[in-house]
Amino acid sequence: MAGLVTVFGSGVMTNSVPETENNDVMFVIGSNTKENHPIVALRMLKAVKKGAKLIIADPRRIPLVKHAHLWLKQRHGTDVALLNTMMHVMIKEDLINKKFIEERTEGFSKVAEAVEEYTPEVGEKITGVPKEKIIEAARIYAAGKRAAIYYTMGITQHSHGTDNVFSVANLVLMAGNLGRESVGLNPLRGQNNVQGASDMACAPNVFPGYQKVTDEVVRAKFEAEWKVKLPDKIGMTAIDMMYAAEAGKLKAMYIMGENPVMSDPDQKHTIHALKNLELLVVQDIFMTKTAELADVVLPAACFAEKDGTFTNTDRRVQRVRKAISPPGDARDDSAIIMELSRAMGYDMNYGDMSEVFDEVGRLWQNVAGINYRRIEKRGIQWPCPTPEHPGTPYLFKDTFPIGKAKFSAIKFNPSLELPDEEYPFTLSTGRQLLQYHTGTMTRRVKAIDTAAHEAYVEINPADAGRMSIDNGAMVQVTSRRGSITLKAKVTNVPDVGVVFIPFHYSEAAANVLTNPVYDPICKIPELKVCAVKLEKVQEDKNHAA
Amino acid sequence: MSIKLTIDGKEVEAANGATILQTARAYGIYIPTLCDNPALEPYGGCRLCLVEVEGMPKPTTSCTTPVTEGMKVKTATPTVERLRKTVIELLLSDHPNDCMICERAGDCKLQEFAYFYGLRENRFYGKRRQYTKQDGNPFLERNMDKCILCGQCVRVCNEVQGVGAIDIAYRGFDAKVCPSFERDLDCEFCGQCVSVCPTGALTGRIWAKKGRSINVKEVETTCSYCGCGCQLNLHVRGNEIARVSSKADTHNEGWLCVKGRFGYEFITSPDRLKTPLIKKDGKFTEATWDEAISYIVTKFKKIRDDHGPDALAGLSSARCTNEENYLFQKFMRAVIGTNNVDHCARL
């Protein structure tokens, strides 16, 4: 999100999901929408039925491909080259929106210069996408009257993730495709309340509402509301915390509802870091792999057992309601935090969750107009500064939060670990439809676990044939970090030379293999590309079915 | 362009291309249907929405007939009411009478029409369809002998979900909805078909014997899986979720995915943590809340005193609510005194 904040001053979806059905062009890059945002995908299908053109850029034959007009199968990690080539074509064919560039952006000339070398021929060479297709994609996108781009972790989980985001933003700015209904740039958020957790500033550099901890005026406002002196130094990111724990500088961690052992890259390192702490407190609904390492585990209530709000991917603040009671002695996370605060000597008391939300509203203008009464029936999309404000379906109508949007000249950099002789395959990781994230919840749903019981690695039939790996055979996948053994799923979803592993399964955790290198700006790990080798596991005759 | 017509003597207006059924609905005039769904293309299959139009020799299906200027429509003449009753009777003549144990009793359109038309005895006797259940999937229960062939499941799978996993095979009396070659269902298991099925032909497997409508209350909430933020109705009986549904007037238009619709079983998993645990000599032992809180607070305070507040850090969760996240960072900043707080937006 750091990328979009630099470009616009805000890093959220510019449009709302319902607007999708009125797109006339949809460019989906690095998002397996049908499996990861199934309901957004339904709006996309609706748009296709109404005549919209769907362009997909994805190295894998994702389910949405069968509905696409154009599929650009770029090599893993070559998005910048693909996008720069599209921009090259748009500039050469004069398909850019000069008025928009002139009035609402700055820095265009540097980008024009940077993409000069990305001719369709160069683009084809780097990405593997036939140049005719790249040219066609550029023309379709530029011609769209209501064109929108959708992306997710396929863009961001790279060592050059911020570059990828900048490139996507450059394309949007160049076409002037922003600030109108059904027109914009939409990073789809992966978890139910990723937007809300960001908004509420569970981040080391900002207070709620993206207000900098280093800003004296901001700090004074929070100090007045919270009646305590606040630290002015930027804190550690999750990634830094693990390194600090390993180095012995960080002594205690309090983890609420997170499972970094499963979700972070390089599992060995994460486990080592957490074990090195003097005190690890984990608050969760299940004994996760992370909780197993804890000194104290606190049982929490799940979403159906508590009141509150989630903010979804299109900035919609919606109610969560208590339907049943939590099991045993489990308690609401909020009740636990309040009790810990009081025991620490800080008076933290709220009658109910609406009072907490009202406090956020006093500190952050964008949700000041939202309260529980207003969202009783349906959610409201922020910004919503006053109680009369209807909420904001799409952003940047007249201006950007930073005034003029910023172009950034970006050159293509390959992923940091590419296949070589020893590790000849590219490994990409992600989710699949049935399971969710680290599997803590879905693996405890019998029906889901029956249907998607086992970890697997997707292998292209050509590779499988060459290595005589049958569908369902056990294979060992090894990277420079570690090795896991799992079933082969022979399918034409990944390309030749590429394998894909969903990261939900702790017994064959994909993040044993992934490369813990990070984007220098937003510190996102490169989970989408690393090099691995495959070996067939010789079946033990006794265990052969 | 607006078209003027009368329905049951009432003067109404409709846009060009609107059907009689759509127009009637817009004016609150009720016409019964079984196969119509406003989210799907008109189908004209169930023959329940027949109306009489002046100048037309026979009753016509209102769901597929576009309005025309000056049209005079009658929706409830004795003739169409008799026809509707016969349609329901014919459907019931080949329908198992097991409302007593049917998952959809109380929420079944066929049962409702039988009630309104007072149908207990049936004039029609004859062969009945009997199908053996053969589904291997763990999500959907398909009782094809309760199917009335309204085609909504086929259409929703194709038109909305874009999957096309099922279609109507065979003709006439033998017609039935099935996957290609009558294999087991192999689809995205979104359950959109279940949500539009007007009878008990399609239900959720995990709904079985969890409760229908008596003593069940519905609680509106937001799904806890992906960022779509779909609006859910949790059907609660006692302290258990009996099923999950969603309403058509939500931003997700009532559609859900497999996880949202069928993925709630973890809530009552026996693996849920039920008591605080403190590790002693490498093993977890159960503790009271007071013990756990005082254990943590003593250590937090000692570490802060010895090494400063920046020796502590917190990770919060994109799975928790806004309020919990707000309180969590407030705890780290205002109570502990550090900005070492983050969550996993990057993963």
Side-chain angles (χ1 to χ4, degrees), chain B residues 106-157:
Chain B
D107 175 33
C108 168
K109 282 186 108 179
L110 187 59
Q111 191 188 38
E112 202 61 6
F113 285 129
Y115 166 76
F116 277 116
Y117 287 103
L119 291 167
R120 185 139 214 267
E121 305 304 318
N122 204 312
R123 287 177 289 155
F124 307 106
Y125 292 96
K127 216 169 116 189
R128 280 174 176 246
R129 297 170 300 164
Q130 284 190 328
Y131 296 121
T132 39
K133 283 184 239 167
Q134 56 157 9
D135 281 316
N137 86 79
F139 301 101
L140 309 181
E141 181 99 28
R142 304 193 304 141
N143 298 300
M144 283 302 113
D145 37 9
K146 292 183 189 171
C147 173
I148 58 166
L149 294 167
C150 70
Q152 287 196 63
C153 53
V154 173
R155 285 177 287 147
V156 79
C157 188

Side-chain angles (χ1 to χ4, degrees), chain A residues 392-449:
Chain A
T392 311
Y394 65 92
L395 302 178
F396 311 149
K397 191 171 171 215
D398 303 308
T399 181
F400 296 101
I402 53 164
K404 285 190 168 188
K406 287 191 178 69
F407 277 102
S408 327
I410 301 295
K411 298 269 183 189
F412 166 69
N413 283 307
S415 303
L416 293 178
E417 189 180 80
L418 293 172
D420 53 22
E421 261 178 39
E422 199 186 347
Y423 297 97
F425 285 91
T426 302
L427 166 72
S428 193
T429 67
R431 290 185 189 163
Q432 53 139 313
L433 172 68
L434 288 169
Q435 298 284 3
Y436 179 75
H437 216 57
T438 64
T440 307
M441 286 154 51
T442 44
R443 298 208 68 196
R444 289 183 174 86
V445 175
K446 245 179 277 151
I448 288 179
D449 216 44

Side-chain angles (χ1 to χ4, degrees), chain A residues 225-239:
Chain A
E225 179 72 37
W226 293 351
K227 300 184 178 66
V228 66
K229 185 96 183 114
L230 293 169
D232 57 357
K233 203 180 101 203
I234 291 174
M236 287 186 256
T237 64
I239 301 299

